[in-house]
Amino acid sequence: MKKPTILVTNDDSIHATGIQVLISIARKLGNVIVMAPEYPMSGKSHSITSNTPLRSTLRKQEEGYVEYTCAGTPVDCVKLAQHLFFKEKGPDLVVSGINHGSNASINIIYSGTMGAALESCLCGHPAIGFSLVDYAADADFSYAEPYVCKIMEDVLQNALPQGICLNVNIPCGEIKGIKVCKQAKAFWHDAYDQRVDPHGCDYFWLTGNFVPENAENGDDISALEQGYVSVVPVQHDLTAYSYLSTFEKRMQDVEKR
Amino acid sequence: MKKPTILVTNDDSIHATGIQVLISIARKLGNVIVMAPEYPMSGKSHSITSNTPLRSTLRKQEEGYVEYTCAGTPVDCVKLAQHLFFKEKGPDLVVSGINHGSNASINIIYSGTMGAALESCLCGHPAIGFSLVDYAADADFSYAEPYVCKIMEDVLQNALPQGICLNVNIPCGEIKGIKVCKQAKAFWHDAYDQRVDPHGCDYFWLTGNFVPENAENGDDISALEQGYVSVVPVQHDLTAYSYLSTFEKRMQDVEKR
C-alpha cells in the first residue's frame, strides 16, 4: 500500500521540541514533508506575508523525508508548501504542533499552530493542530505521543469532513482519555509592563492572565482540567447565526434614518 | 448629555485614507481616541506581539481628540489602548477601518481590521469593522460615509450583545441599502511568483485569486454583488457543533486502539 504523505508545520519554529516529536511520529506513519517557520511565530494567528517576499531553505533530504524552513508565519508555511509540493494532489494529512502551551478555548484565535491547521483545511486537506498544556521549559511530550499517534492514524484512515479540522489539546501528566468538546468561553485580561529604555523612551511588554468564563462540562477547558485530551472540531464560519434576525430588524430601522 | 468615547483603529496604518474618513465621522459623534498601526498591517489577522516590546507615539492632541500610533498589529493597538485609556471604563464604541478592500467572506480570518474588532469585542466593547470593496488606489470612500455614520449611531445608541461584533462591507458606487448576512463560503487559490534575487537565491511573492463557493442569497458576497452594504454579526466560537456527536463516536473508537 502506498504510504501517505504528511505535511508537518508549527508556530514555535523548526527548533522546538514539539515539532521534533511530531516529526518522529509522522515518519512512522508516512512520507513526511516539513515546512516550518525559521523563527518563533507564536501568536501569529492566521496572518500572512504579502508586503514582503518569502524565503525558504532546504535543511534535510532523506528517503521519505524532506525538511524546509520558511521565513514566514505558519499560514505562509502551509501556502508555500501547497505551492511547492501539492499543486496536483494535496497531502493526505497536515499536522501542526505540538505547540508548547495551550490552544484551548479562546487561545485558538491567537494561535499560529491553529492558523496553519485552519489554512490547510481551507486548502481542502485533513488537518490537526496539537498542543501540550504545559508551559515548563522542559515540558515532557512523552505522555502526549500515543494520543497524537492514534488521532493521526484515525484521520489518515477516515479523513475529515470538508471544511473541518481538529484542535487537539493534551494535558500534562497522566491522561484519562479523550473528550470531544466545544470551545470554552474565555478571554485574556491583559496588562503591559511599561518600561523606560536607556534613551528615556517608554516601551511596553505584553503580559496577561487567562480568564475562563463559565467553564462547563462539555467544553475543552473542563476536559483538560479533568485530565482528558480535548478534541474540538473546528470550522471557519464566524457568523453569529442566533442574532441574524435581531439584526435584520435593527438594520431596517437604520436604513430609514 | 456626555459625549461618547470612540476608539478608532485599522490595519492599513494611520497614513491610510480609510482611517482618516473614519476619524472624521467619529469626531462628529463623540470624543475620539485613535490608536492605529504605524505601518501597514494588512493580513495580520488576530496576531499579537509578545516576543518583542511595543512602542507607541503621541501624534496629536486636541479638545476631544488624541491620536497615537503603535508599532504593532491592529490587535496590539486595541490591547495597548485598553491598557492606557480604558482600565476603569471601556470606550462606548470601537471602530476599525475603513479597510481598503473587502473583508467579506473568508477574508475575515486574514483581516487585521476584523482582528481589532473581534479583540475589542472580547474586551467587552461594542465594535464594528468597516471595509470598502474597492481596490483602486484612489478608491472613493464618499459613498460609504452615510452608511458608516448610520451604523455607528445605531451601535452607540443600542450597543451590541456581549461577544458579538459587526463585519460591515461596503460596495463601491451607488448603494441600494443594507443587508444582514451570513459569512459566504470561499477560499483563496494561492500562487507564488517565484523570482531569483541578484545573489542567485529564490524568493516568493504571494499572489492569488479569491474563489467564492456556492454564493447564495443571504450571504455577504451576494449582498455586495447586488450593491448592498453587508452586515455580518460575528462571534469567536469556531466549534463545528454539527459534528460534535459524529466525533464523539469516532474518538471512542480511537481510545480503544
Side-chain angles (χ1 to χ4, degrees):
Chain A
M1 205 181 105
K2 200 175 162 286
K3 276 188 168 183
T5 301
I6 303 171
L7 172 65
V8 181
T9 190
N10 76 340
D11 74 356
D12 290 327
S13 91
I14 192 69
H15 310 291
T17 307
I19 197 169
Q20 296 305 326
V21 172
L22 195 54
I23 289 169
S24 74
I25 297 168
R27 291 186 75 166
K28 288 175 197 155
L29 302 176
N31 294 323
V32 171
I33 295 174
V34 177
M35 178 66 83
E38 225 165 284
Y39 312 106
M41 290 282 159
S42 284
K44 292 294 175 203
S45 184
H46 213 100
S47 72
I48 51 170
T49 304
S50 57
N51 286 337
T52 54
L54 286 178
R55 302 272 185 173
S56 181
T57 309
L58 174 63
R59 283 169 51 99
K60 211 182 276 184
Q61 188 155 27
E62 296 168 5
E63 175 67 28
Y65 184 74
V66 281
E67 184 180 301
Y68 283 81
T69 55
C70 162
T73 67
V75 171
D76 290 331
C77 287
V78 170
K79 284 182 182 285
L80 191 58
Q82 164 82 17
H83 171 75
L84 292 175
F85 310 113
F86 305 113
K87 268 185 193 146
E88 309 269 301
K89 184 187 171 298
D92 298 291
L93 175 63
V94 182
V95 286
S96 178
I98 302 171
N99 191 62
H100 191 177
S102 172
N103 280 321
S105 180
I106 197 65
N107 294 312
I108 190 175
I109 68 163
Y110 302 99
S111 164
T113 303
M114 285 309 299
L118 282 157
E119 180 64 26
S120 302
C121 154
L122 268 175
C123 294
H125 317 318
I128 317 168
F130 291 105
S131 306
L132 183 71
V133 185
D134 188 342
Y135 295 89
D138 61 347
D140 181 359
F141 287 78
S142 65
Y143 291 100
E145 284 183 47
Y147 287 89
V148 170
C149 187
K150 281 182 198 182
I151 295 170
M152 282 173 68
E153 282 174 327
D154 172 73
V155 175
L156 278 169
Q157 202 174 323
N158 304 309
L160 287 171
Q162 184 72 22
I164 309 279
C165 64
L166 301 182
N167 182 15
V168 177
N169 282 267
I170 300 153
C172 53
E174 290 294 342
I175 293 169
K176 286 198 191 143
I178 302 176
K179 280 201 174 170
V180 174
C181 306
K182 63 180 180 180
Q183 178 184 319
K185 283 186 186 164
F187 63 94
W188 279 86
H189 187 263
D190 297 306
Y192 282 88
D193 185 347
Q194 184 166 352
R195 300 184 181 185
V196 180
D197 74 15
H199 314 291
C201 300
D202 289 333
Y203 63 101
F204 303 86
W205 283 104
L206 180 61
T207 66
N209 295 308
F210 181 74
V211 186
E213 289 181 289
N214 319 317
E216 56 185 61
N217 242 340
D219 73 28
D220 52 2
I221 295 289
S222 302
L224 289 162
E225 282 174 356
Q226 292 162 26
Y228 289 89
V229 172
S230 67
V231 177
V232 180
V234 161
Q235 53 75 48
H236 298 91
D237 187 351
L238 299 178
T239 310
Y241 283 97
S242 56
Y243 285 95
L244 282 179
S245 58
T246 314
F247 274 96
E248 258 167 32
K249 284 191 204 110
R250 261 176 80 161
M251 291 301 137
Q252 281 162 11
D253 294 341
V254 166
E255 280 198 88
K256 286 180 202 147
R257 284 185 189 176
Chain B
M1 206 181 104
K2 202 176 160 286
K3 275 188 168 183
T5 301
I6 303 171
L7 173 65
V8 180
T9 190
N10 76 339
D11 74 356
D12 291 327
S13 92
I14 192 69
H15 310 291
T17 307
I19 197 170
Q20 296 306 325
V21 172
L22 194 54
I23 289 169
S24 75
I25 298 168
R27 291 186 77 167
K28 289 176 196 155
L29 302 176
N31 294 321
V32 171
I33 296 175
V34 176
M35 178 67 83
E38 227 165 282
Y39 312 106
M41 290 283 159
S42 284
K44 291 295 176 203
S45 184
H46 213 101
S47 73
I48 51 171
T49 304
S50 57
N51 286 337
T52 53
L54 286 178
R55 303 272 185 172
S56 181
T57 309
L58 175 63
R59 283 169 50 100
K60 211 182 276 184
Q61 189 155 27
E62 296 168 6
E63 176 67 28
Y65 184 75
V66 281
E67 183 180 302
Y68 284 80
T69 55
C70 163
T73 67
V75 171
D76 289 332
C77 288
V78 170
K79 285 183 182 286
L80 191 58
Q82 164 83 17
H83 172 76
L84 292 174
F85 310 112
F86 305 113
K87 267 186 193 145
E88 309 270 299
K89 185 188 171 297
D92 298 292
L93 175 64
V94 182
V95 286
S96 179
I98 303 171
N99 190 63
H100 191 176
S102 172
N103 280 320
S105 180
I106 198 62
N107 295 311
I108 190 174
I109 68 164
Y110 302 98
S111 164
T113 303
M114 284 309 299
L118 282 157
E119 179 65 24
S120 303
C121 155
L122 269 174
C123 295
H125 317 319
I128 316 168
F130 291 104
S131 305
L132 183 70
V133 186
D134 188 342
Y135 295 89
D138 61 347
D140 181 359
F141 288 79
S142 65
Y143 291 100
E145 284 184 49
Y147 287 89
V148 170
C149 186
K150 281 183 197 181
I151 295 171
M152 283 174 68
E153 283 175 325
D154 172 74
V155 175
L156 279 169
Q157 202 174 324
N158 304 311
L160 288 170
Q162 184 72 23
I164 309 280
C165 64
L166 301 181
N167 182 16
V168 177
N169 282 267
I170 300 153
C172 55
E174 289 295 340
I175 293 169
K176 286 200 191 142
I178 303 177
K179 279 201 176 171
V180 174
C181 306
K182 62 179 181 180
Q183 179 184 317
K185 282 186 186 164
F187 64 93
W188 279 85
H189 187 263
D190 296 307
Y192 281 89
D193 184 347
Q194 185 166 350
R195 300 183 181 186
V196 180
D197 74 15
H199 315 292
C201 300
D202 289 333
Y203 64 100
F204 303 86
W205 282 105
L206 179 62
T207 65
N209 295 309
F210 181 73
V211 186
E213 289 180 289
N214 320 316
E216 56 186 61
N217 240 340
D219 73 28
D220 52 2
I221 295 289
S222 302
L224 290 162
E225 282 175 355
Q226 292 163 27
Y228 289 89
V229 171
S230 67
V231 176
V232 181
V234 161
Q235 51 78 46
H236 299 91
D237 187 352
L238 299 179
T239 310
Y241 283 97
S242 55
Y243 286 95
L244 283 178
S245 59
T246 315
F247 273 96
E248 257 167 32
K249 284 189 204 111
R250 262 176 80 161
M251 290 301 136
Q252 281 162 11
D253 294 341
V254 166
E255 279 198 270
K256 285 180 202 146
R257 284 184 188 178

